[in-house]
Amino acid sequence: MSTTKEHVPTGASAPRPDGTRKGRLAGGPLDRFFGVTAAGSTFPREARAGLVTFLTMSYILFVNPQILGAAIDVPNAQVQLLMTTAIAASVGCFLMGIVARYPFAQAPGMGLNAFFSFTVVLGMGVEWQTALGAVFISGVLFVILSVVGARRAIVMAIPQSLKLAIMAGIGTFLAFLGLRNAGIVVTDEATLVTLGDLSAPTAWVAVVGLVIIAVLLQLKVKGALLWGIGASSVIAVLAGAQVYEGGEDGALQAFPGFTDGVVAAPVWPSELVGQLDIAGAVGLGLFTVVFTFFFVDFFDTTGTLTGLAQKAGYLDERGDMPRAKTVFAMDGVATMFGSFMGTSTTGTYVESASGIQDGGRTGVTSTVTGLLFVVAMFLWPLAAAIPGAATAPALILVGAMMMDGIRHIEWDEISEGVPSFLAIITMPLTFSIANGVSLGVISYCVIQALTGGARKVHPVLYVVAALLAARYIFFV
C-alpha cells in the first residue's frame, strides 16, 4: 500500500506526539510490506486486533464440525473436521493478510456449511465428496470472475433487495437449524413442527446458552459467541447434563471427561484431504448447487468486504478499495483450498469488524488471527467438552444477526417485497437455501416482466432465472 498521506485510511489514528507508536519494527521491511506505519497503526495494536478477531470468530471451530459432521461420515469425524476447519481458516487468514494485506479474517462460512450438509448431502442425496467438488468449482469461478474484473457486472445484475433477502433467509435457516438441534422445535404429525420439551437437558442447556450469549452481545463483550458456548458447556459438565453423544444404543450421556488431557498433537484429517470429486460435480444436475455456493459466497463476500473496507477507511469516494481484484481472488483461492482439505465454502467473516474496531488496519491483524488458528490445533481435545446443545445458541443468534439487512428492502414495492419474502420464507420451510434463492430470482424476473419493469432486470438475471426454472421443470 502506498505510504503517501492521501492513502492513509480515514479510520486510522494519527501518530502520537512522542513517536512511541512506531515501535521497534517501524520503518523495517515488515512495516513497509504491510504498511503498518502508513496506516497510522503499530504492530502491538495489530496483534491485539488479531486476537480480538480470533476470539470473536473462533466459535466456528466447534460449530462447523457439528454441522458438517451430520453429512460427512468418517472415522473420528469431529476431530478431523475441527482440524480441517482450523487449517482452512488459518490459510484463509494468511492469504488475506499476507497476499491481499487487509485485516479481514477468513474461515468456513456459516450458512453455506448448513446448505452443504442438510440441503445438498442429506436433502439431495449427493455424496459429500461430490459436494466438495461443487464447492471447489464455485471457488474457481470466483477467482476467474475476480481476476477478469467481472464482479461489478454480476453484482449489478442482482437487485439489492434479493441480496439482502438471501442473507436474511440463510439467517432464518440457521436459526431454525439451531432450534431443532436444541430440541426446542421438534416435528409434529399434525402441525409439522411444535415446541419441544424445555425441561430436557438439551433444551435447557441451549436456552441458558442463548441467554448468556444474548446478554454478552448486548454488552458488546469481545468474543461473546465463544464465551457463551464455553459457559454453557461448563454448566452442562458441572450439572452432569446428558447432552453428549456416545452413550449406549446412541443415547445421550453426561460428559465422560478428558481421558488424555486437553493438549495434544494435531491430527491430520487424512480421511478428508483430497477427497473432493470434481468430475462428479460437473453436470447439469448440480448446476443449482454450484450456482448457490458461488452466488451466496460471491455476494456475501462483496457485502462483507465492502462494509469492512469502509469501516477500516479504505474506500475511496467511488466506493472502490485498493487491490480489490486481489482481495476477491484470495477469497476464491481460500474456498478452493478449503474444499481440498474437506470443508465447505471458506469466506470472509463479518466478525473481522471487531478487530478493526480495536484498531486493526493491515494484514498483520489477519495474519495473527491465522497463527492463533494454528495454535488452536494443539487444543483439539477441548472440543470433546462442547456439546451440540452449546453450539445451537450460536446458530440461532448468528441467524438473528443476519436479518439486519431486511429493513432496507422496499416492502411497499410488490416487485421487490414479494420475491424477497419468498426467498426468506422458503429456505427454512423447505429446508433448502437453493430453493429460496431460486424462487426469489425467478419470481423477481416474472413479476418485473409482467408489470412493465422488464427493462429494470439485467439480461444476465433472466438467463439465470431461465436456467433455474428449467431445473425445476426437467430435473426435479
Side-chain angles (χ1 to χ4, degrees):
M1 187 182 73
S2 172
T3 58
T4 57
K5 183 178 180 180
E6 60 269 20
H7 286 91
V8 176
T10 57
S13 61
R16 288 176 6 195
D18 61 3
T20 56
R21 71 160 178 82
K22 293 183 177 180
R24 290 185 298 174
L25 296 176
L30 286 178
D31 189 355
R32 292 192 296 272
F33 178 80
F34 286 107
V36 175
T37 299
S41 187
T42 66
F43 279 94
R45 181 188 300 165
E46 296 290 313
R48 185 187 65 210
L51 173 61
V52 170
T53 299
F54 173 79
L55 292 177
T56 307
M57 64 182 287
S58 57
Y59 65 89
I60 194 61
L61 290 170
F62 310 117
V63 178
N64 199 49
Q66 293 280 352
I67 295 177
L68 294 184
I72 298 179
D73 184 16
V74 297
N76 204 15
Q78 292 299 308
V79 174
Q80 291 205 56
L81 285 168
L82 186 149
M83 290 294 161
T84 287
T85 301
I87 294 171
S90 62
V91 171
C93 290
F94 293 150
L95 287 170
M96 195 61 75
I98 298 173
V99 181
R101 289 173 288 154
Y102 275 101
F104 309 147
Q106 299 194 95
M110 294 291 293
L112 282 175
N113 53 6
F115 172 71
F116 179 99
S117 290
F118 297 99
T119 298
V120 179
V121 179
L122 298 180
M124 299 174 60
V126 176
E127 295 291 333
W128 62 266
Q129 296 92 336
T130 305
L132 288 175
V135 173
F136 183 89
I137 294 173
S138 71
V140 172
L141 293 174
F142 198 96
V143 172
I144 293 174
L145 290 174
S146 298
V147 171
V148 301
R151 173 178 65 91
R152 184 172 181 272
I154 295 180
V155 170
M156 290 178 62
I158 306 296
Q160 181 67 12
S161 59
L162 274 184
K163 297 174 191 174
L164 298 172
I166 289 170
M167 290 303 104
I170 294 174
T172 63
F173 183 83
L174 284 177
F176 181 72
L177 181 61
L179 291 168
R180 194 193 71 158
N181 290 350
I184 297 174
V185 171
V186 297
T187 58
D188 183 87
E189 292 185 3
T191 61
L192 297 182
V193 293
T194 189
L195 185 66
D197 180 8
L198 297 184
S199 65
T202 302
W204 70 254
V205 168
V207 170
V208 169
L210 189 65
V211 172
I212 293 173
I213 295 176
V215 170
L216 293 177
L217 286 172
Q218 177 62 32
L219 296 176
K220 303 187 185 310
V221 174
K222 296 291 191 296
L225 292 172
L226 179 64
W227 300 130
I229 291 173
S232 52
S233 298
V234 170
I235 292 172
V237 171
L238 296 179
Q242 295 181 337
V243 294
Y244 294 87
E245 298 180 356
E248 296 181 3
D249 300 324
L252 296 176
Q253 62 177 351
F255 180 60
F258 296 110
T259 57
D260 299 312
V262 297
V263 178
V267 175
W268 181 248
S270 57
E271 303 291 334
L272 300 174
V273 177
Q275 296 300 309
L276 70 170
D277 181 8
I278 300 175
V282 177
L284 184 60
L286 287 185
F287 168 78
T288 302
V289 175
V290 174
F291 172 75
T292 302
F293 278 130
F294 166 76
F295 179 91
V296 177
D297 183 34
F298 187 91
F299 291 106
D300 182 34
T301 300
T302 297
T304 299
L305 287 175
T306 300
L308 292 175
Q310 184 174 20
K311 186 176 182 64
Y314 278 109
L315 293 186
D316 61 21
E317 62 279 1
R318 297 175 300 174
D320 291 332
M321 59 178 159
R323 307 183 303 281
K325 289 184 180 180
T326 302
V327 173
F328 281 89
M330 290 307 100
D331 188 89
V333 172
T335 290
M336 294 165 60
F337 176 79
S339 64
F340 176 79
M341 293 302 301
T343 186
S344 54
T345 305
T346 300
T348 303
Y349 264 55
V350 71
E351 285 86 350
S352 301
S354 62
I356 294 173
Q357 181 67 34
D358 206 55
R361 291 294 180 272
T362 73
V364 175
T365 293
S366 46
T367 301
V368 169
T369 302
L371 290 172
L372 291 173
F373 273 111
V374 173
V375 173
M377 289 191 288
F378 292 86
L379 301 173
W380 63 263
L382 285 175
I386 310 296
T391 57
L395 293 177
I396 297 169
L397 290 175
V398 168
M401 290 183 284
M402 293 178 72
M403 299 291 291
D404 176 70
I406 63 173
R407 58 182 171 172
H408 301 297
I409 296 175
E410 296 183 25
W411 295 106
D412 292 336
E413 187 70 27
I414 295 300
S415 61
E416 301 282 341
V418 169
S420 297
F421 175 76
L422 289 175
I424 294 170
I425 199 67
T426 300
M427 291 187 193
L429 293 186
T430 66
F431 219 69
S432 169
I433 296 173
N435 287 337
V437 173
S438 300
L439 292 187
V441 170
I442 293 171
S443 61
Y444 178 81
C445 291
V446 171
I447 294 174
Q448 290 286 9
L450 296 179
T451 57
R455 293 186 177 181
K456 295 181 180 179
V457 183
H458 196 285
V460 171
L461 200 61
Y462 280 122
V463 174
V464 172
L467 291 173
L468 292 174
R471 171 185 175 269
Y472 284 106
I473 296 172
F474 300 108
F475 299 99
V476 176

